[in-house]
Amino acid sequence: MAVVAAFVVAEAAVLLLRPRNGVIAPVPVDPRSYFTPAQLDRARDYRHGQLVLFAANTAIEAALLVWLVRRPPGRLRGPFRRPVLTGAGAGAALSVGLAAATLPVGAISHHRSVDVGLSTQDWGPWLGDVAKSTAIGAVFAGVGAAAALALMRRLPRAWWIPGSVLAVGFATASIYLGPVVLDPVFNRFTALPEGRTRGDVLALAREAGVDVGQVYEVDASRRTTASNAYVTGLGRTKRVVLYDNLLEDFTRDQVRLVVAHELGHVHYRDVPRGLLYVALVAPIGLYAAALLTRRLAPPEPRPGPAALPALALSIAVVSIGVTLVANQLSRRIEARADSYSLRLTDAPEPFIGFEHGIALRNVADPDPPAWVVALLATHPPTVDRIGIAKAFEAGAR
């Protein structure tokens, strides 16, 4: 019941934070009007295979956690002189173990991305990125396990209360520090130099009446042919990041539309709103995870490292459900940013051209099955985004 309540609260938070205006309703669009049968088949074949691999990855992680819950390793049972420190090591080891177990699936996914022309990485750089992300994940998992175990031992039935505060604090710190601490581990970021593109960004920001913060170009092309842009950071670390291949391969009008989309996120304060969603959902989510952990963990006078697999499985169950619910909010927010970019630039034809081009470059399915959109999509499908532009072109504002 607590797990179901967590999903209900997550849905209520979506309804509370969901944009109520500013979103242009898309008109129906036939994908065959913009994409050839060969392009549609290529995208669907690739995305279907990636979806199967995603399901396999999730199943492997779930199976490993269930196995560890049913048979906790003997080394996780006490007594320990420093159980919290032992828990930190166990959490890090669990993170590395999950990464190792799913590495073959990741390798197949990478191979398919290379075959389809989406990834530009050789195996060496790809494995280097995997090693970096695994190391970072192990550090976070170790610190998180230590903090959770310390709270569970001190407040066996109420640890979720301070835990939810820590969760919100961690999310805030990640958004604030991520652009300056974590992102540079994987990519090189260069402040956009004086010139036409930077001038366009600043002019659009002035027209939108927003503080854009910093504008950076990232060397994404050394890893992928996909193009993108995003807003990240808080306060002094707030920034708009543009892929280098976006700047190189798309027209000036199309780049301006992408920038306007990202300025829409700044205008509507979507990053702080995302943190508010976390703050609303974290308490009930961790409460549900705490009850589930208590049911699954081996009986002990005081929780020890042996409870960590149960905790990891419980948090995974709750977080997956909450994330599926939150995708509704993400899609609506992205549709509002699309609508904002059209109003700011008044350029529906370049918008349609960009959506067509980005779908081809990213090997995205322009019209995925409705259940895939409902459960997994964080952005509206391409046909809906084109439909927003067509509606704007027809006079919808």
Side-chain angles (χ1 to χ4, degrees):
M1 290 179 64
V3 172
V4 172
F7 301 157
V8 171
V9 170
E11 184 66 40
V14 167
L15 294 176
L16 177 65
L17 298 175
R18 187 172 185 265
R20 288 170 173 75
N21 50 53
V23 181
I24 299 172
V27 298
V29 169
D30 184 351
R32 293 171 295 183
S33 299
Y34 296 91
F35 301 92
T36 67
Q39 290 170 341
L40 292 171
D41 289 343
R42 175 175 179 263
R44 288 167 181 166
D45 287 346
Y46 174 70
R47 290 299 166 184
H48 175 75
Q50 295 301 95
L51 186 61
V52 170
L53 292 174
F54 170 76
N57 190 90
T58 303
I60 291 171
E61 290 182 342
L64 181 56
L65 287 174
V66 169
W67 180 72
L68 290 172
V69 167
R70 291 177 62 88
R71 297 185 177 182
R75 292 185 178 182
L76 294 183
R77 296 181 180 274
F80 299 102
R81 292 183 58 187
R82 295 182 176 86
V84 172
L85 185 60
T86 302
L94 178 59
S95 177
V96 173
L98 290 171
T102 56
L103 182 60
V105 176
I108 296 172
S109 177
H110 173 66
H111 178 71
R112 298 186 78 249
S113 296
V114 172
D115 278 353
V116 82
L118 186 59
S119 175
T120 59
Q121 277 190 307
D122 291 332
W123 285 105
W126 179 79
L127 287 172
D129 280 351
V130 170
K132 292 175 186 177
S133 61
T134 300
I136 293 171
V139 171
F140 285 159
V143 173
L149 194 56
L151 291 175
M152 291 167 67
R153 292 174 66 82
R154 181 173 290 273
L155 301 168
R157 294 187 174 275
W159 65 266
W160 57 273
I161 298 175
S164 61
V165 175
L166 290 178
V168 175
F170 176 77
T172 304
S174 296
I175 293 175
Y176 182 81
L177 296 174
V180 295
V181 176
L182 295 180
D183 292 352
V185 174
F186 297 94
N187 286 98
R188 185 176 68 253
F189 293 81
T190 307
L192 208 61
E194 295 293 337
R196 188 177 68 180
T197 301
R198 183 176 179 83
D200 286 345
V201 172
L202 297 179
L204 286 169
R206 284 193 299 270
E207 188 176 348
V210 301
D211 177 15
V212 72
Q214 298 294 327
V215 184
Y216 285 89
E217 176 184 345
V218 60
D219 61 337
S221 60
R222 70 183 184 86
R223 184 175 284 107
T224 179
T225 59
S227 297
N228 205 348
Y230 60 92
V231 170
T232 187
L234 284 172
R236 295 179 63 183
T237 67
K238 182 173 65 177
R239 60 189 60 192
V240 173
V241 179
L242 308 174
Y243 280 26
D244 57 352
N245 47 25
L246 171 70
L247 299 175
E248 294 168 3
D249 300 333
F250 289 87
T251 68
R252 178 184 182 185
D253 286 340
Q254 291 171 337
V255 172
R256 291 181 76 251
L257 277 159
V258 175
V259 171
H261 174 103
E262 302 307 327
L263 292 177
H265 289 307
V266 179
H267 174 79
Y268 289 109
R269 297 177 59 81
D270 288 334
V271 172
R273 285 177 177 269
L275 288 175
L276 178 58
Y277 179 84
V278 174
L280 292 172
V281 176
I284 183 61
L286 276 182
Y287 174 67
L291 293 182
L292 192 56
T293 300
R294 196 181 307 162
R295 293 288 298 270
L296 296 176
E300 295 179 290
R302 295 181 70 189
L308 291 177
L311 175 64
L313 179 60
S314 301
I315 291 177
V317 168
V318 174
S319 62
I320 287 174
V322 168
T323 299
L324 296 181
V325 173
N327 285 342
Q328 301 172 75
L329 179 60
S330 177
R331 289 193 297 274
R332 185 72 172 178
I333 287 173
E334 294 296 337
R336 181 173 63 181
D338 281 344
S339 304
Y340 185 87
S341 71
L342 286 164
R343 295 190 186 98
L344 190 60
T345 62
D346 193 20
E349 283 304 318
F351 185 99
I352 293 171
F354 174 77
E355 292 300 330
H356 175 266
I358 203 75
L360 293 180
R361 290 182 65 89
N362 296 0
V363 200
D365 185 352
D367 189 23
W371 70 268
V372 173
V373 175
L375 292 179
L376 302 177
T378 59
H379 290 61
T382 299
V383 290
D384 283 356
R385 304 182 86 167
I386 293 176
I388 289 175
K390 298 299 290 185
F392 179 85
E393 194 174 41
R397 293 295 188 271

